[in-house]
Amino acid sequence: MSPRDWRFALVLGGGGIKGLAHVGVLRALEERGWIPDVVIGNSIGALIGAAWAVEFSTAELEAVSLSMTRHDVFAIARGEMAARRLRAPGLYQSGPLEMLLRGFLGETTFDELPRRLVVASVDINSGMVTYWGLPGLTGVAVADAVFASCALPGFFAPREIAGRFLVDGALADNLPVGVAAGQGVDGVVAVDVGSSGVLRAEVQEAGFAAVFARATEIVFHQMLEYRLAQWAGPPMLLVQPRVEHVPMLIDEGYRATVAALDLAEDEVRRAAGGIYPRRQVEVAVDRARCIGCGACVVLAPPGTFRMDAAGKAVGPEQAQEWSPISGGFVRHCPTYAITAHPVRAAAAGPTGGGSRGTARAPA
């Protein structure tokens, strides 16, 4: 089966500047001949998806991304803050983001796009989630929908569309894979840049913005784990670029997508469901570190761990098959007593991709 015979929805999640990794994702997919049937975007994923939908090339997208600076979009609304204080609609001015969006989208509506696009946003008054671009929701300007999807509350003012005031769709679902499953496609490629279980250090000393950003990462991670644990849709290739400390975001998006395709390109197209790539992982418990709290028994899939007569946790004897969402229990061990390591390819055969649940205890 060629990539063009396998119709898929591409879901680009939100994550602020980290979402520039989406550009690398698009480049990697294009090189493999994987052309999305529809892109579903949230926040910066909506912005990148909108550029794709008006047929920006990946080279053009990369050039624009590399030429932009943070100040091109994030300019503090000093006048509003001084005049209205806590009643100011947002920390940042709307003008720079508005100019960026109108510059390449103009007044184009979803009806007029040459490629299919869906953009997520949330009504700040009712809490209603709106997916612009779905049937009956196509007559609005794409630039307005994308602005709303980027309007993280407190940072940008809500965007009024048809009498409703809309903000970032991440409030309800930062990676809207459920919508993708309803688009009549054979599969889903989802790119998560907004959640991370990776440990941080000294966040509490880095100021409001850093604390808020880390808090949203944690919330997005928990929401994503919950939603994907119940995934019953078509097969999904989940790409999770390592964007925590990587300065070359576009290159990292490209690398992560190539790695996922190398591991599961054929498998995911043959599958009836599930999340890929998969891999074989050995899980172990350091008895010296284990305090017997039992968190692993509660949080891991039933039968993964047991408590022995000494009150210590005992891990599984056999290697486990993990998808990218497996192993979240590792980071919840309070003493970092659990380790998870991929089985070497020579012993286990073909393996799947990385999981943000895997973690090695600090030395």
Side-chain angles (χ1 to χ4, degrees):
M1 181 191 297
S2 74
R4 292 185 182 277
D5 295 329
W6 193 74
R7 296 175 58 243
F8 72 96
L10 175 61
V11 183
L12 304 178
I17 197 68
K18 295 180 294 184
L20 292 180
H22 293 320
V23 178
V25 172
L26 286 169
R27 174 156 56 95
L29 292 173
E30 183 180 90
E31 287 182 0
R32 295 292 185 99
W34 284 49
I35 308 302
D37 190 66
V38 57
V39 169
I40 301 167
N42 194 33
S43 195
I44 192 169
L47 193 158
I48 301 296
W52 171 87
V54 294
E55 298 186 315
F56 269 53
S57 69
T58 52
E60 289 172 324
L61 265 173
E62 187 163 352
V64 171
S65 299
L66 293 175
S67 69
M68 289 176 57
T69 68
R70 184 177 181 85
H71 298 293
D72 291 330
V73 177
F74 300 103
I76 295 178
R78 300 186 188 280
E80 286 278 351
M81 297 293 289
R84 303 183 64 182
R85 299 181 183 274
L86 292 179
R87 295 186 64 84
L91 176 64
Y92 297 116
Q93 299 175 27
S94 296
L97 179 58
E98 181 79 30
M99 289 178 61
L100 172 67
L101 294 173
R102 296 294 174 186
F104 71 89
L105 293 171
E107 297 299 324
T108 303
T109 66
F110 285 86
D111 288 320
E112 298 167 335
L113 290 173
R115 293 169 167 171
R116 289 178 63 201
L117 174 71
V118 175
V119 171
S121 64
V122 173
D123 186 318
I124 195 63
N125 290 303
S126 70
M128 179 188 300
V129 185
T130 303
Y131 297 103
W132 304 103
L134 292 183
L137 296 168
T138 59
V140 305
V142 178
D144 285 329
V146 174
F147 188 104
S149 190
C150 291
L152 185 64
F155 288 84
F156 286 103
R159 173 51 51 102
E160 183 179 3
I161 303 177
R164 296 164 56 195
F165 291 86
L166 297 135
V167 296
D168 195 337
L171 269 66
D173 188 359
N174 193 48
L175 193 68
V177 292
V179 180
Q183 299 308 300
V185 293
D186 301 312
V188 175
V189 176
V191 187
D192 170 33
V193 296
S195 69
S196 175
V198 174
L199 292 172
R200 297 288 193 272
E202 306 300 331
V203 172
Q204 74 282 357
E205 303 294 338
F208 161 77
V211 172
F212 185 85
R214 179 53 177 160
T216 56
E217 268 190 344
I218 293 170
V219 171
F220 292 163
H221 192 87
Q222 297 293 335
M223 290 173 61
L224 184 63
E225 280 192 338
Y226 175 76
R227 290 179 185 277
L228 294 186
Q230 303 177 72
W231 179 250
M236 179 194 304
L237 185 72
L238 181 59
V239 181
Q240 296 176 300
R242 297 289 183 178
V243 293
E244 294 88 4
H245 302 292
V246 178
M248 304 299 289
L249 292 165
I250 295 174
D251 290 342
E252 172 56 17
Y254 177 85
R255 183 210 62 80
T257 306
V258 169
L261 289 171
D262 283 347
L263 291 165
E265 182 172 6
D266 293 331
E267 186 179 13
V268 73
R269 292 205 305 263
R270 292 194 303 265
I275 300 175
Y276 299 85
R278 302 284 180 89
R279 68 174 180 176
Q280 295 292 312
V281 173
E282 292 178 338
V283 180
V285 177
D286 184 335
R287 292 181 62 83
R289 288 180 178 270
C290 180
I291 58 174
C293 69
C296 55
V297 177
V298 174
L299 297 174
T304 304
F305 293 93
R306 63 180 176 83
M307 306 303 290
D308 66 12
K312 300 281 189 175
V314 178
E317 295 181 0
Q318 303 297 322
Q320 307 287 295
E321 184 180 71
W322 279 14
S323 80
I325 64 166
S326 301
F329 55 84
V330 174
R331 72 177 188 280
H332 291 296
C333 176
T335 58
Y336 306 105
I338 303 172
T339 57
H341 304 285
V343 177
R344 291 185 179 181
T351 60
S355 167
R356 294 193 180 188
T358 63
R360 183 169 182 171

